[in-house]
Each structure stands twice: as C-alpha cells, then as structure tokens.
Amino acid sequence: MKILVTGSHGLVGSALLPALMADGHRVLRLLRSATPGTDEILWNPDANQIDAAALEGLDVVVHLAGENIAGQWTVAKKARIRESRVAGTRLLCETLSKLDRPPHALIVASAIGFYGNRGDEKLTEESAMGSGFLPEVVRDWEAAAQPAREHGIRVVQLRFGIILSAHGGALTKMLPPFRFGLGGRVGNGQQWWSWISIEDVVGTICFSLSNETLDGPVNTVSPNPVTNAEFTRILGGVLCRPVIFPMPAVVARLVLGQMAEELLLASACVEPAQLRRAGFQFKKPNLEVGLRSLLAPSVP
Ligand SMILES: NC(=O)c1ccc[n+]([C@@H]2O[C@H](COP(=O)([O-])OP(=O)(O)OC[C@H]3O[C@@H](n4cnc5c(N)ncnc54)[C@H](OP(=O)(O)O)[C@@H]3O)[C@@H](O)[C@H]2O)c1
C-alpha cells in the first residue's frame, strides 16, 4: 500500500515506520519541513497550507501529529495542544475530501482523555465524554475528521491509552525516580491507568489498515488496566527497586498543575471493546511481561 504518515518523528511514528516498511508498504511523510525530491510532503497546519496534489492516489493516511502534551499547561501551551490537533486534522481531512483519488482509510490518533476522570466505571467506545480540557480537545479533534467521513473515507480514531515505550513518553519520564528508589504512587493510587505497549500500538495501526470492521472510535488500550498503585508496584518489582515514596495529590497539582489533575490523577478504566470484537490479538496484554520486555536490556 501507499501510506502517508503525519507525526512520523514522534514516539508512535518512529516505531510505526520501520514496521510498515518491513511489511512492504511505501511510506510517505507529511512534514512541516520537507526535502524536495524525496517521499516527504510539505504542510504547514498553522498557516493552513498543504501540498494537496501530492496526496492524490494514497491508499491510507495515518495521522499522528499534534503538540506533545507533556509540560506545564500554560494558556499558550493549551492553545497549541488544541489547535495542532483540531486545525491540523480539519486541514488534512478537508484536503482529502476534495481529492480526485482519495485514500480508502484514514487512521487518526485520538486519546482516552476523551473519558475524563471516571472512578471505577468501565469505559467502552459507547461511553459518554467526560468533562475537562482533554475531553473537549478530543471531542473537537475527532469531529474535525468529519469531512473525510462524509466523503466516504473509512475513519478509524484510535483512542490511545498511556503508551509504554523504552524510547519516550510516560514510562521514560517515570524511570529516573524509580531507578533511584524514589518512585511511588501518585495521590491515593486508586485511579485506573489504561496502558498499552508500543508494540501493540503499532500492531493496532497495522491491523486497522485493511480491517474494514474498524470504523469510528477504537479504544487502543491493553485488556488489563491497572490502578496507579498496582502500576507502581509492578514497575518497582521489574526494576528491583522499593516503591515507598508516594507523591501526594497536592504536590502533583502544585508541581504539574492541570496536567497532573487530568493525566496522573484522573481515573479511566478503559476496555478495548472494538478491538476485541474485531479479533485483534494483543502481544503484550500483561503489564509485568510488557514492562520486562521493554526494560530487559537495562534491568539488573
Ligand atoms: N504517547 C502517548 O502515551 C499517547 C497517549 C494518548 C494519545 N496520544 C496521541 O497519539 C499521537 C502520537 O503520539 P506520540 O506519542 O507519537 O506523539 P509525539 O511523540 O509527541 O509526536 C507527535 C508528532 O507530532 C508532530 N508535531 C508536534 N508538535 C506539532 C505541532 N505544534 N503542530 C503539528 N505537528 C506537531 C511532530 O511530528 P513531525 O516532527 O514528524 O512532523 C511530532 O513528532 C499524538 O497525537 C498524541 O496526542 C499519545
């Protein structure tokens, strides 16, 4: 297949590209800075500019681009988080919908942040959105794909959980304190963390390329969510380190602000209902096995 990927330098994109190429696909990248005469295509989502002619005749588009959400959520940062997703997706989808030869499918990143803070409630794709900044961003981000859907393109919105990788994202931020024996639960530790290994994220995207039963929102999480306290205990065990330094919720809020509230302290017990229905086989459904395989080279 001829596949266009946005956000190709990111955590997911850099794991996805080698897998797509190994499967024999031709991969093009949509970039904010592209080299002419290569498989790189230029866009500038901030200025609403895109090289539309270069998008004719693609089979699938995988859209992963968006401002990284880590860091202090200042007013400016929140505007970038939102606009890079909503305006970027709208520009891409409006462009795809006007092509003479549009792609058959658009696989677009989304997030379980859609559900907000939901205690012990079991969340499927049927569940209503939550309240807060992230749920509103995700709602608008998913709605921005509507022009592509209206044009008959199959749109799969992968609501990613916490993606675990040894090369970036949440896990690599957690590792330093844990390695020094300073790790611990956040808040009371009872909040559910719905995680997924990077291997299964790549597997889900590859599965979505041609699986026509997947359409609309798809919870992209392992079938075994854990509480934060359980996550912490397992990570400490894999690293052979004690986990005796909890971070009180008040400290997390003080240091990380709204990001702590909506990411670290929020509880989302998410089920991969659509993936199960479609018969997707997880390679790393178990957290301890997943963490051991990711951290194997560095675990004593
Ligand atoms: N990692 C997770 O745990 C997680 C969880 C839930 C949802 N997600 C979502 O899944 C998608 C991929 O995640 P990821 O972890 O691979 O993200 P990432 O590592 O932060 O990479 C995102 C990519 O987006 C592009 N980008 C960054 N800032 C941008 C901006 N202001 N405007 C336009 N493009 C911008 C860059 O792509 P190029 O430099 O290649 O152009 C960057 O490599 C993101 O939309 C993210 O929100 C991730």
Side-chain angles (χ1 to χ4, degrees):
M1 286 190 204
K2 191 173 169 189
I3 301 174
L4 177 78
V5 181
T6 81
S8 57
H9 293 125
L11 183 70
V12 176
S14 29
L16 177 67
L17 259 63
L20 292 177
M21 290 190 231
D23 285 346
H25 300 298
R26 177 171 170 209
V27 180
L28 294 85
R29 301 163 183 252
L30 190 63
L31 294 167
R32 289 169 292 167
S33 165
T35 311
T38 67
D39 275 348
E40 297 179 356
I41 300 169
L42 192 63
W43 76 328
N44 182 347
D46 291 339
N48 214 37
Q49 290 167 349
I50 189 164
D51 182 356
L55 306 186
E56 290 284 0
L58 298 164
D59 293 299
V60 178
V61 174
V62 181
H63 176 37
L64 303 167
E67 172 86 12
N68 195 289
I69 65 167
Q72 281 289 345
W73 286 2
T74 59
V75 172
K77 173 83 175 173
K78 281 166 74 174
R80 285 199 304 276
I81 289 173
R82 189 191 142 77
E83 283 314 298
S84 62
R85 288 175 173 76
V86 179
T89 302
R90 191 180 304 121
L91 170 63
L92 181 62
C93 290
E94 282 175 353
T95 307
L96 296 178
S97 71
K98 289 179 193 144
L99 294 176
D100 293 330
R101 288 174 294 133
H104 314 296
L106 169 69
I107 299 163
V108 51
S110 181
I112 61 165
F114 177 79
Y115 302 110
N117 183 11
R118 303 290 277 268
D120 293 333
E121 188 181 344
K122 299 271 184 288
L123 300 161
T124 71
E125 291 85 353
E126 307 289 310
S127 303
M129 71 177 273
S131 58
F133 170 67
L134 282 184
E136 285 174 16
V137 169
V138 177
R139 175 198 60 199
D140 296 347
W141 185 12
E142 291 189 353
Q146 198 53 23
R149 185 170 280 126
E150 281 166 6
H151 199 68
I153 299 171
R154 180 171 63 92
V155 178
V156 183
Q157 282 140 329
L158 298 176
R159 289 182 180 162
F160 294 132
I162 302 167
I163 299 173
L164 300 183
S165 161
H167 303 293
L171 182 61
T172 53
K173 290 193 176 59
M174 293 166 71
L175 282 177
F178 274 82
R179 286 198 197 287
F180 284 108
L182 299 172
R185 62 181 158 78
V186 187
N188 66 14
Q190 294 311 299
Q191 68 277 30
W192 288 95
W193 278 14
S194 295
W195 62 277
I196 181 163
S197 72
I198 186 74
E199 194 179 344
D200 281 326
V201 166
V202 170
T204 308
I205 296 172
C206 294
F207 184 74
S208 306
L209 293 177
S210 50
N211 192 309
E212 307 265 330
T213 62
L214 289 180
D215 205 335
V218 174
N219 289 341
T220 310
V221 293
S222 87
N224 296 304
V226 292
T227 62
N228 165 261
E230 184 71 351
F231 189 101
T232 301
R233 187 187 65 72
I234 292 172
L235 180 57
V238 169
L239 294 171
C240 302
R241 293 287 186 275
V243 281
I244 45 180
F245 289 99
M247 183 193 276
V250 64
V251 176
R253 287 187 191 107
L254 207 65
V255 178
L256 296 166
Q258 192 180 1
M259 191 191 89
E261 195 67 52
E262 294 208 21
L263 283 179
L264 302 179
L265 296 164
S267 184
C269 186
V270 182
E271 290 184 1
Q274 292 291 0
L275 284 180
R276 266 210 192 104
R277 216 163 284 148
F280 179 72
Q281 299 289 322
F282 287 89
K283 291 215 171 94
K284 296 285 161 8
N286 174 281
L287 180 61
E288 183 170 348
V289 175
L291 285 174
R292 279 196 194 284
S293 79
L294 287 172
L295 302 174
S298 59
V299 169

